[in-house]
C-alpha cells in the first residue's frame, strides 16, 4: 500500500499519521479534517482554555509546520461527505481522492437537548470544539447565571471554571448522584463536597423539565421537581454519540460506534477506525472509550497494523479531570467492582481503589500522582495487592510494584 487517507483531524487522526511516519512509512499520507484548525487537544476546552489561562497555539498537538516537514498533506475546513468503498474513493468538497487504506477517526458529537424542551434556544451551549468555546467565552462574566445540565466530567469541569470566574452556577444531575455512570459513590461524594464548598448549587436526582425563552433566547428553566430558575445561559453536558454517519452510509458495520476487530479493521476491506468513533471487542462486547489515552493508543495500533504488524489492540484505560485545585487521575475500568478501598495519603491526597473480590480493577486518585502511577502499573501488570495493605497509610506504595 502506498497511500493512506485519514478522515478526522483530531487526537486519533493526528496519532495515526504521526505513527505512520515514525514507523518509516514513505507513501502518501493525507489527513482530512472538517474543522479549520490543525489537530488540537480537547481536554483544556473545559479546563484551562475555558478559564482563559491557555493560548490557542498551545492547544495544537503539533505546530502546523510539522505536517509539511513530515510530508503529510493536511486538508482542513471541509468534511468528507461520501466514500465509494469499491473504487476506494472519497469525496471532500468538490474533490475526489483515492486511497489504498482509509482510517476513520471522526470522533463524537455531544448529545443535544431536544428542541421540544427548548434545546434549540439561543444560549443553550455545548463544549465540544474550539469554536464552541471561543463563542461562549464572553458569557463567562462574573455574576452571570448559568445552568449546567449533567453531572459528568465535562459538566463538572465547566462548573468549576464558571464558579472560579464568579458566575452563579446551578448544576442539575438527573441520576441519584453526579458521576454515577463512571465512578463509585465515594468519588461522587468527594466532588459533590468540593463543588458545594465553591458555591455551586448542585442538585442531584433532579432533571431538566424544559427551558423557557424570550425572543428565541433562553431565560429560564423548569426542573423536574417543579422548581424554576432564571438563567443567562445553559451548558449541556449529557454525553456524546460517536460520529458514524459517513461510515454507515458507506456500508460499514456499526455496533456501539464503528465496529472494528481486535486489529482496528472495520467490516469493509481497507477501512480502519480508531478513537471516540470506534468500538472494539472486549469481554464479549463492542466497547468504546472516550478518552485521549484510547485515541492515541488505538490510533497507533491501527497505524502499525496498516503496516502489517498484526497486533491486537490491548486497551489500558486512563483518564484525568481538573476541577479547582484537584487533579483526578483514573486508571483501569471500575465496572463490576464490589468493594472500594479508601487510601488517604500525605496532606489532602486521597485514592479510591476498585476491587472485584481480590482483583484490583481501577483507581481514582485525587491529588495523588504516586498512588495513580502505582495503581496504573499494578492494573496493567494484572497485580492485585491485598486490600488491607492498600488502605494502610504507612504502606510504601512503590514497594507494591516489586511484590
Ligand atoms: P476528536 O478529537 O473529536 O476528533 C475528531 C475530528 O474528526 C473532529 O475534528 C471532527 O470535526 C472531525 N470529523 C468528523 N467527521 C468528519 C468528516 N466527515 N470529515 C472530516 N472530519 C471529520 N479525555 C481525556 O482523556 N481526559 C480529559 O480530561 C478529557 N476532557 C475532555 C474535555 C472536553 C471538553 C471534551 C470535548 C473531550 C474531553 N476528553 C477528555 C475526550 C477526548 O478529548 C476525546 O476522547 C478525544 O479527543 C477523541 O479523539 P478523536 O480523534 O477520536 O476525536
Amino acid at each position: 500500500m502506498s497511500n493512506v487517507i485519514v478522515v478526522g483531524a483530531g487526537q486519533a487522526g493526528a496519532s495515526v499519521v504521526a505513527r505512520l511516519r515514525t514507523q518509516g512509512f514513505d507513501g502518501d499520507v493525507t489527513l482530512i479534517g472538517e474543522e479549520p484548525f490543525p489537530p488540537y487537544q480537547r481536554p483544556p476546552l473545559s479546563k484551562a482554555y475555558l478559564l482563559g489561562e491557555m493560548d490557542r497555539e498551545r492547544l495544537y498537538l503539533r505546530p502546523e509546520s510539522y505536517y509539511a516537514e513530515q510530508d503529510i498533506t493536511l486538508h482542513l475546513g471541509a468534511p468528507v461527505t461520501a466514500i465509494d468503498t469499491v473504487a476506494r474513493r472519497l469525496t471532500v468538497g468538490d474533490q475526489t481522492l483515492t486511497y489504498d487504506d482509509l482510517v476513520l477517526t471522526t470522533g463524537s458529537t455531544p448529545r443535544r437537548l431536544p428542541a421540544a424542551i427548548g434545546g434549540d434556544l439561543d444560549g443553550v451551549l455545548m463544549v465540544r470544539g474550539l469554536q464552541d468555546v471561543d463563542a461562549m467565552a464572553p458569557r463567562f462574566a462574573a455574576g452571570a447565571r448559568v445552568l449546567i445540565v449533567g453531572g459528568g466530567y465535562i459538566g463538572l469541569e465547566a462548573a468549576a471554571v464558571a464558579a472560579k470566574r464568579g458566575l452563579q452556577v446551578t448544576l442539575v444531575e438527573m441520576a441519584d448522584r453526579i458521576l454515577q455512570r463512571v465512578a463509585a459513590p465515594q468519588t461522587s461524594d468527594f466532588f459533590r463536597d468540593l463543588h458545594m464548598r465553591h458555591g455551586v448549587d448542585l442538585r442531584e436526582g433532579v432533571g431538566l423539565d424544559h427551558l423557557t425563552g424570550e425572543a428565541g433566547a433562553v431565560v429560564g428553566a423548569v426542573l423536574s421537581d417543579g422548581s424554576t430558575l432564571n438563567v443567562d445561559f445553559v451548558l449541556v453536558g449529557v454525553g456524546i454519540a460517536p460520529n458514524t454517519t459517513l461510515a454507515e452510509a458507506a456500508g460499514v458495520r456499526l455496533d456501539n460506534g464503528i465496529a472494528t476487530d481486535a486489529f482496528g479493521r472495520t467490516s469493509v476491506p481497507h477501512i480502519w477506525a480508531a478513537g471516540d468513533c470506534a468500538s472494539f471487542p472486549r469481554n464479549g462486547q463492542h466497547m468504546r472509550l472516550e478518552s485521549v489515552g484510547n485515541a492515541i493508543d488505538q490510533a497507533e495500533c491501527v497505524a502499525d497494523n496498516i503496516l502489517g504488524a498484526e497486533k491486537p489492540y490491548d486497551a489500558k484505560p486512563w483518564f484525568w479531570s481538573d476541577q479547582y485545585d484537584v487533579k483526578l487521575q483514573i486508571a483501569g475500568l471500575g465496572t463490576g467492582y464490589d468493594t472500594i478501598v479508601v487510601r488517604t495519603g500525605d496532606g489532602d491526597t486521597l485514592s479510591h481503589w476498585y476491587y472485584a473480590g481480590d482483583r484490583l480493577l481501577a483507581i481514582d486518585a485525587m491529588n495523588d500522582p504516586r498512588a495513580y502511577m502505582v495503581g496504573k502499573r499494578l492494573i496493567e501488570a494484572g497485580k492485585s495487592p491485598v486490600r488491607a495493605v492498600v488502605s494502610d497509610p504507612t504502606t510504601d506504595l512503590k514497594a507494591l510494584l516489586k511484590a
Side-chain angles (χ1 to χ4, degrees), residues 7-13 32-35 42-43 45-47 78-80 105-108 127-128 154 157 243 246 274-276 290-292 295 319-320:
V7 179
Q11 187 81 55
I32 306 176
E34 67 183 335
E35 294 184 84
R42 292 183 195 277
L45 296 182
S46 52
K47 307 178 182 74
V80 170
T105 53
T106 48
S108 54
V127 192
R128 179 68 199 170
I154 288 184
E157 289 177 353
N243 290 332
L246 179 67
D276 277 10
E290 300 161 2
S291 71
V292 165
F319 192 79
W320 78 97

Side-chain angles (χ1 to χ4, degrees), residues 54-139:
M54 191 176 183
D55 295 335
R56 175 184 286 193
E57 279 64 35
R58 284 189 50 218
L59 287 179
Y60 295 159
L61 290 164
R62 293 194 162 81
E64 222 168 335
S65 56
Y66 164 86
Y67 301 93
E69 283 158 21
Q70 293 295 320
D71 199 15
I72 294 166
T73 306
L74 262 189
H75 204 300
L76 300 175
V80 170
T81 49
I83 304 167
D84 176 339
T85 59
V86 177
R88 287 200 238 164
R89 266 197 312 249
L90 55 77
T91 310
V92 52
D94 53 12
Q95 276 183 273
T96 301
L97 304 177
T98 54
Y99 61 84
D100 293 319
D101 280 273
L102 176 66
V103 188
L104 299 175
T105 53
T106 48
S108 54
T109 303
R111 292 184 201 285
R112 310 187 74 87
L113 294 180
I117 65 164
D120 58 350
L121 288 167
D122 192 27
V124 181
L125 312 172
M126 273 157 301
V127 192
R128 179 68 199 170
L130 192 39
Q131 282 168 321
D132 301 330
V133 177
D134 286 348
M136 72 176 66
R139 296 182 185 264

